[in-house]
Amino acid sequence: MKEYIRVRPTGPLKGEVKIDGAKNSGLKLLAATLLTKEEVIIRNLPNLKDVCVMLDVLRYLGSSIEKLDEKSYRIKNDKISDYITPYELMNKMRASFVVTGPLLSRFGKSITYMPGGCSIGARPVDLHLKGFEALGANVHIGIDAIDVSSPNGLKGGYVYLDFPSVGATENILMAAILAEGVTTIDNAAQEPEITDLANFLNKLGANVKGAGTRTIKITGVKELKGGEHAVMPDRIEAATYMIASAITNGDVVVKDVVASHLVPVIAKLRETGCTVEVNDDEDEIRVIGTPHLKATNIKTLPYPGLATDVQSQFMTLLTICEGDSIVKETVFENRFMHVAELQKMKALIITEGNEARIKGVDKLIGADVRATDLRAGASCILAGLVAEGETKVYDTYHIYRGYNDFENKFNSLGADVSLVQVEE
């Protein structure tokens, strides 16, 4: 059985759409439950394939997991029986490597297979490993597995990150929670997902200060207790629907968001001529499109800059803006894989190194394209919303890793998006 997502243009999107919990936060919160023996409840988890993989990793390690409702889980890790994660699960998702820090912190050992996931660049784990070593761990890198151990326990230390890596910041932060003494992470990533993780850990009795700034200090504690936490809204999903409203000249209210997490997206949409309104509570954003979208330049940066995870969606918007635009990708070296797919749809894009130059066209043309990674898949869906004719997006599994119920969400706004299965 082969499947693809069929997208047909229907004109401006209109209505309201609710945003789910953040995938990039929920995965790390699940890993963090390994740090305590007591019962933890995680709410507002998005129903995504990546979340299912992380739950399977926890089950493999010995977690007791009870599903309370569609988005809530009760987890207890008092009988963890293993510190070796399985290759078949680790290979599915890069974020699974983040269990290394909690396992190392609690058990003094972790054997982890090389992580997989989207092919958007090398994304090495050397920053994670340097951080573990700074806390006194021994690291041995095999052919396909990484063995990290601290037979005498982790000790607080100073960690300077050469690049403000989100994954490394989170992994080192969790490793330091039960370490003896104080750990300082300098040049730490400042993403909201890290603040969400720190807030959760502090609820359980951790002592983390400075999350959301470039310097985080963790004072180790002997143990964590149980607790309950709701995952923050997904700013990347929110940005995708905001751009969908803009590209279709629509009028969409995106609900259950944190507007302060989306400042660069709001600013850049306004530069294209769209009207963006934020309500007083800053949990709803209304995007009203314009028939005369104006070209603009974007540059991806670590937070609080424009997220690399919205670059491909924004590039799709720029393909139909009036004038010439430039996109600079500074976070991942291989994140222009969607360009070839957009070119199949008659987009005018030239790339050189980490820069793409886009000349706006009057219209895109429907074509058969591939979701080369999660966000590239989203860009293809957005292109299909405004392309003349029918667009078929293959390799759909990437998209379902990061967007829950997206066909129904898009269709509730007036789109024509459907999953089609055909016999090979």
Side-chain angles (χ1 to χ4, degrees):
M1 187 72 71
K2 193 169 187 178
E3 64 179 36
Y4 60 86
I5 295 167
R6 184 183 66 207
V7 189
R8 292 168 174 163
T10 56
L13 299 186
K14 296 182 184 295
E16 299 178 346
V17 60
K18 288 187 176 182
I19 299 305
D20 282 306
K23 173 182 85 86
N24 290 336
S25 182
L27 297 175
K28 316 306 169 55
L29 296 175
L30 288 175
T33 66
L34 291 165
L35 287 163
T36 179
K37 297 178 182 179
E38 296 190 28
E39 183 179 285
V40 173
I41 294 176
I42 307 290
R43 300 195 183 278
N44 201 36
L45 268 172
N47 184 21
L48 299 170
K49 287 188 176 181
D50 276 11
V51 170
C52 292
V53 171
M54 184 61 84
L55 288 169
D56 284 343
V57 170
L58 294 183
R59 289 189 185 97
Y60 180 93
L61 293 170
S63 299
S64 170
I65 299 175
E66 178 188 356
K67 188 172 184 178
L68 302 177
D69 59 45
E70 194 61 29
K71 297 181 179 181
S72 303
Y73 291 83
R74 178 184 286 116
I75 302 168
K76 196 167 186 182
N77 290 317
D78 58 332
K79 297 178 181 177
I80 293 293
S81 56
D82 213 334
Y83 51 78
I84 303 174
T85 50
Y87 170 80
E88 60 272 17
L89 293 176
M90 298 298 289
N91 190 50
K92 291 181 180 179
M93 181 181 67
R94 176 179 173 77
S96 54
F97 187 70
V98 84
V99 300
T100 305
L103 290 173
L104 179 63
S105 188
R106 182 170 162 189
F107 301 105
K109 193 166 181 66
S110 172
I111 298 177
T112 312
Y113 285 90
M114 299 294 189
C118 286
S119 301
I120 58 174
R123 301 202 287 183
V125 295
D126 60 319
L127 294 179
H128 304 236
L129 303 180
K130 287 178 183 176
F132 297 150
E133 288 177 328
L135 303 185
N138 301 316
V139 175
H140 174 73
I141 302 175
I143 296 174
D144 59 358
I146 300 172
D147 184 332
V148 187
S149 62
S150 56
N152 299 317
L154 295 175
K155 310 291 183 185
Y158 177 79
V159 179
Y160 177 81
L161 295 177
D162 295 331
F163 177 83
S165 160
V166 176
T169 300
E170 293 164 332
N171 225 346
I172 298 163
L173 186 159
M174 287 189 281
I177 293 297
L178 302 177
E180 181 184 324
V182 178
T183 297
T184 300
I185 306 175
D186 222 343
N187 197 31
Q190 302 176 52
E191 272 71 2
E193 292 80 6
I194 292 167
T195 304
D196 203 29
L197 174 62
N199 289 342
F200 168 59
L201 289 168
N202 285 340
K203 284 182 182 179
L204 305 187
N207 188 345
V208 182
K209 295 179 180 177
T213 74
R214 69 184 307 275
T215 303
I216 301 175
K217 289 196 174 181
I218 307 106
T219 302
V221 297
K222 290 197 177 298
E223 61 181 10
L224 297 182
K225 59 179 189 289
E228 185 173 326
H229 188 76
V231 182
M232 61 169 271
D234 194 318
R235 60 195 173 103
I236 307 303
E237 184 194 16
T240 301
Y241 287 105
M242 290 166 67
I243 295 170
S245 182
I247 201 170
T248 63
N249 187 21
D251 184 352
V252 174
V253 177
V254 183
K255 308 184 76 166
D256 297 343
V257 300
V258 180
S260 61
H261 295 170
L262 292 154
V263 169
V265 177
I266 292 170
K268 286 298 172 180
L269 285 177
R270 285 174 175 161
E271 286 182 20
T272 66
C274 295
T275 300
V276 184
E277 301 171 352
V278 180
N279 72 337
D280 292 339
D281 293 332
E282 295 201 347
D283 61 356
E284 294 183 6
I285 301 174
R286 182 183 182 187
V287 178
I288 305 170
T290 171
H292 299 291
L293 289 162
K294 295 180 290 186
T296 189
N297 299 331
I298 66 170
K299 180 180 181 180
T300 65
L301 290 167
Y303 191 86
L306 186 75
T308 181
D309 276 358
V310 300
Q311 178 257 104
S312 57
Q313 300 94 304
F314 228 108
M315 185 186 291
T316 302
L317 174 66
L318 297 176
T319 64
I320 62 165
C321 288
E322 297 173 359
D324 298 340
S325 303
I326 297 174
V327 173
K328 289 187 178 180
E329 173 59 56
T330 72
V331 179
F332 291 130
E333 76 278 7
N334 195 25
R335 201 148 207 179
F336 283 158
M337 294 174 70
H338 54 284
V339 168
E341 308 308 309
L342 294 176
Q343 288 170 335
K344 293 176 186 175
M345 303 178 74
K346 307 306 178 185
L348 296 180
I349 308 170
I350 297 174
T351 61
E352 184 176 348
N354 70 336
E355 186 172 293
R357 295 179 177 272
I358 302 114
K359 190 174 191 64
V361 296
D362 292 335
K363 61 183 177 182
L364 298 174
I365 305 297
D368 290 3
V369 293
R370 291 177 53 240
T372 53
D373 61 66
L374 167 53
R375 306 307 174 185
S379 74
C380 291
I381 299 293
L382 294 180
L385 293 175
V386 292
E388 183 179 283
E390 185 174 272
T391 297
K392 295 179 181 178
V393 184
Y394 290 88
D395 294 346
T396 58
Y397 62 92
H398 281 302
I399 300 172
Y400 292 106
R401 288 185 49 230
Y403 293 94
N404 175 42
D405 198 30
F406 79 94
E407 301 107 310
N408 288 332
K409 287 187 178 183
F410 270 118
N411 292 340
S412 72
L413 300 173
D416 183 355
V417 178
S418 58
L419 179 66
V420 178
Q421 296 182 323
V422 293
E423 295 285 348
E424 289 192 72

